[in-house]
Amino acid sequence: MFILTTISDLIQISPEDFSKFSAVAIEDNINEKYANKVIQKIGLCISFYDLLESSDGLIGHGTGLVNVNVKFRMIVFRPFKGEIVMGKIASGTEHGIKIGVEFFNDILIPPGLLLDNARFDYADQVWVWVNEEGSTFYFDVGEIVRFRVEAEEWHDQIPNAPELADAPALERKPPYSIIGSMQMAGLGPIAWW
C-alpha cells in the first residue's frame, strides 16, 4: 500500500527558516511542497522519509531565498493491483460504491465488480446483495469493508478556465483514483464475514 520513492528537486528555503537547522528547514520545505500531492504515475505523497543528498545552498539574486538541490525519499500511497485494502463506505449511487480510507477518498467499486445479485436500492440509496439462500445484506454508509484493488486511473489536471455564462462547466476528475472489486468471498462489509 505504501512505497518509498526517490525524488530529486530544487528546494527553496526562505529567510524565515534560517533560524532552523539546515536539515529541519529542508524537511519542512519538502513536506510543504509534496505532502498530500499526487505525482502522476507515482502516487499520493504522504510524508518525507529521509534525505539522501543535498548541495550547498546558493542565495538567489534579489530574492534572498536559498536554493538547495536535494535528493530524498518520500512515503507514497499506491496500492498494487490485487492488494486487499480496508476502507469505509462513503456513499452509494447507481454508478457504484465510493470507498474512503483515512487520507484518500477516490476509490470506486463499480456495479460490475460487486458480488453477483447486487443491486442498487433507489428508495434507501444503498447497495443490496441477496445471497443464494435469499438473505439480504446491505452496503450501509459508514461500514468498514474489504476490497481488492483492480486498476488505477490517472488524470492530468488542467488549469481552471475562466467561467463564461454560456459555457458548460467541465467536470474535474481526481488526479489519481482506484477501481476496486468485491467479488470474492471475504470481501465487502467485514461484519458479514
Side-chain angles (χ1 to χ4, degrees), residues 27-104:
E27 180 180 344
D28 289 348
N29 281 282
I30 289 171
N31 271 327
E32 184 179 330
K33 185 173 185 177
Y34 284 97
N36 203 27
K37 305 280 191 311
V38 171
I39 300 176
Q40 288 293 310
K41 306 296 184 188
I42 302 233
L44 173 67
C45 293
I46 303 296
S47 179
F48 172 84
Y49 183 73
D50 66 354
L51 184 63
L52 301 175
E53 297 174 12
S54 67
S55 69
D56 291 334
L58 297 173
I59 299 174
H61 295 292
T63 63
L65 298 174
V66 174
N67 299 309
V68 181
N69 288 310
V70 294
K71 186 174 181 181
F72 59 94
R73 292 189 295 180
M74 289 288 296
I75 299 170
V76 176
F77 171 74
R78 186 177 183 186
F80 58 86
K81 186 175 179 182
E83 183 173 357
I84 305 297
V85 180
M86 289 180 61
K88 189 181 285 191
I89 296 177
S91 66
T93 67
E94 63 271 3
H95 302 295
I97 298 174
K98 292 278 286 185
I99 307 288
V101 295
E102 286 185 37
F103 51 85
F104 187 77

Side-chain angles (χ1 to χ4, degrees), residues 88-99 107-109 111 114 119-122 124-128 139-142:
K88 189 181 285 191
I89 296 177
S91 66
T93 67
E94 63 271 3
H95 302 295
I97 298 174
K98 292 278 286 185
I99 307 288
I107 303 167
L108 177 69
I109 313 297
L114 288 168
R119 62 177 171 75
F120 185 67
D121 185 346
Y122 286 94
D124 293 331
Q125 293 292 304
V126 69
W127 279 87
V128 176
F139 293 90
D140 290 322
V141 173

